[in-house]
Amino acid sequence: MGFEEIRKLALDTGFSYVTNLDCSTLELRQEVRDMCGANTCGMYGKNLSCPPSCGTLEECRKQVEKYSRGIVVQTVGDVEDSMDFEGMVEVEQRHKKQFAELAEKLRREYPKLLPLGSGCCTICKKCAGPEGDCRFPEKKISSLEAYGIVVSDLCSRNEMKYYYGPQKIAYTSCYLLK
């Protein structure tokens, strides 16, 4: 499946923007992973797609190094202002739904797909972790941040905008394809 075919599939799924991902531009940084350890989102050690359950940064790096191509997808939506939490959540939920849907479509062609999403995995309403095992390991989605990736760097290195203005919010994710 070529990029144009994948791009059309992503746009038809509802994403606002799609671009090629040059996997050599991915930099996994310890300081991003350390922010996960600060547990500001409340998922550290609770969600199996998040640190420490998703593996060490070195294990994530070894996994990413197996890929040479991918795509970056983005959902851009309107918000009233920087305090419009309800609007942000609505756009985020739409992005996550589209991301999971496209992952399922791409897995038919790329069974070894590595999806790196926005925020923690929400495939299950309540994660089985940390005590249990993932109920759907083939569908699990770790975040870009869990892998130590700075989203603004990912965008700029792959010719995608990161900021669209004060009344817009963008959620960015990627799929590594093999």
Side-chain angles (χ1 to χ4, degrees), residues 51-70:
S53 298
C54 66
T56 66
L57 192 60
E58 191 52 40
E59 289 169 332
C60 292
R61 185 174 284 110
K62 285 180 183 173
Q63 196 175 14
V64 167
E65 287 172 351
K66 296 176 185 175
Y67 295 86
S68 60
R69 69 181 276 235

Side-chain angles (χ1 to χ4, degrees), residues 103-151:
E104 289 305 307
K105 292 175 183 175
L106 289 173
R107 277 191 179 100
R108 295 177 197 137
E109 183 81 19
Y110 302 97
K112 295 185 186 237
L113 168 85
L114 177 60
L116 296 175
S118 175
C120 71
C121 186
T122 55
I123 298 295
C124 299
K125 288 188 183 197
K126 179 163 176 21
C127 185
E131 311 82 29
D133 293 327
C134 182
R135 293 182 285 273
F136 302 103
E138 72 285 353
K139 293 182 179 186
K140 182 169 65 172
I141 298 170
S142 286
S143 71
L144 290 163
E145 294 84 0
Y147 273 60
I149 298 169
V150 177
V151 178

Side-chain angles (χ1 to χ4, degrees), residues 3 6-7 10 18-23 69-73 99 102 106 154 173-177:
F3 172 72
I6 294 170
R7 182 178 178 280
V18 183
T19 192
N20 267 315
L21 169 62
D22 175 358
C23 291
R69 69 181 276 235
I71 62 166
V72 182
V73 293
F99 191 72
L102 184 57
L106 289 173
L154 170 73
S173 300
C174 71
Y175 303 93
L176 304 186
L177 308 171

